[in-house]
Amino acid sequence: MSRISGRPAISTEHVYGLSLRIARWREGTAGTPLLFLNGIGADIAAAAPLLAQIHDREVWTLDMPGVGGSPDALLPYGAPTIAAVVMEIADRLGHKSIDLAGFSWGGALAQQIAIQFPGRVRRLVLMATTPVMGAPGIGWAAMFDDDMLASGLKIQTATPLGIAYQTAAMAGWTSLGLLSGLKNLPTLVLMGERDGVMPACFGEMLADQIDGALLELVPGSHLFPFTHAAAISSRISAFLDQPTAAQAAA
């Protein structure tokens, strides 16, 4: 496991017939833990250089079925099901309240969790994502992303069935009409200035739907959380550390 930046604690959780590999950095640190949800086909090792730099809090993530260290699912699953699986794991880890960050496919799942489990998410970070998953398999376009080609990063470790089930889980999914319910949830939307996979207009849709959401364009293209990990980890930490309105008024 030495190839995984920051040497997180690795475990496996068995939930609803799935076996999922979990990674936890700074396990047991006081405060609200951060859950990161990755893009389609990307594993723990791909996210590690970003997550290892988010300090002073526990950070955890997982490999989806058929990705990295998680075996294929026996049956297809939908967005509400995998959201319930993720939150069951949060419960087992003792995390009743979480901060939540999602990238691309994982950003859509993060929206699903925030909508499906109101009150469980303290702050939300959405990166290079969309409220409408109308293009199944869009994650493969990241293989031709400018930053991806320049960096030499290799993020896809999924089996063909793993990719197929991840794609099917979000095919036709949308959060439009539901995001208005997140008006009391502090939300940061980060979009890459040169993202040709998920252009900034999708971030504008998210910010328009979520009352009070902050929308920021950042350097890079679709894989900016990985290719600009130091800057993005710093921005995420600053957002999570902001005092709440009640704290600011005290």
Side-chain angles (χ1 to χ4, degrees):
M1 298 301 176
S2 60
R3 72 186 183 95
I4 302 179
S5 299
R7 297 181 180 272
I10 303 292
S11 62
T12 299
E13 291 289 340
H14 304 280
V15 184
Y16 306 151
L18 299 173
S19 296
L20 301 173
R21 182 173 68 157
I22 313 298
R24 301 171 74 182
W25 288 260
R26 292 167 293 283
E27 180 179 357
T29 301
T32 305
L34 172 66
L35 164 60
F36 174 79
L37 299 170
N38 217 333
I40 192 167
D43 70 355
I44 286 168
L50 170 70
L51 304 185
Q53 297 185 68
I54 300 177
H55 301 293
D56 301 323
R57 55 178 43 83
E58 179 173 332
V59 182
W60 65 284
T61 189
L62 68 157
D63 286 339
M64 288 294 155
V67 177
S70 297
D72 286 327
L74 296 177
L75 297 170
Y77 53 86
T81 297
I82 202 66
V85 167
V86 169
M87 293 308 287
E88 171 63 22
I89 294 172
D91 286 339
R92 294 183 184 185
L93 299 181
H95 300 162
K96 300 303 180 185
S97 176
I98 60 172
D99 290 327
L100 184 56
F103 162 69
S104 196
W105 185 96
L109 181 58
Q111 295 169 61
Q112 178 68 37
I113 289 173
I115 292 165
Q116 190 171 334
F117 295 90
R120 294 289 303 273
V121 179
R122 188 187 72 108
R123 287 181 179 263
L124 180 63
V125 181
L126 302 174
M127 297 179 283
T129 193
T130 173
V132 182
M133 293 291 281
I138 197 170
W140 288 106
M143 298 301 95
F144 305 100
D145 175 272
D146 292 344
D147 285 346
M148 180 71 175
L149 295 173
S151 70
L153 282 171
K154 292 179 172 55
I155 65 168
Q156 295 279 6
T157 60
T159 66
L161 188 60
I163 285 287
Y165 281 179
Q166 270 197 280
T167 299
M170 287 295 179
W173 173 92
T174 182
S175 60
L176 291 176
L178 299 172
L179 291 174
S180 60
L182 304 182
K183 61 183 178 180
N184 295 319
L185 177 61
T187 301
L188 173 65
V189 180
L190 300 177
M191 305 297 290
E193 291 176 338
R194 297 181 291 103
D195 191 344
V197 177
M198 205 67 70
C201 61
F202 290 106
E204 293 169 0
M205 291 170 65
L206 287 166
D208 286 344
Q209 291 277 314
I210 304 172
D211 187 36
L214 301 173
L215 171 62
E216 298 179 10
L217 293 182
V218 298
S221 47
H222 189 59
L223 296 177
F224 67 81
F226 307 131
T227 57
H228 296 70
I232 298 305
S233 63
S234 178
R235 182 65 188 98
I236 291 173
S237 294
F239 173 71
L240 298 182
D241 288 340
Q242 286 178 351
T244 64
Q247 290 171 329

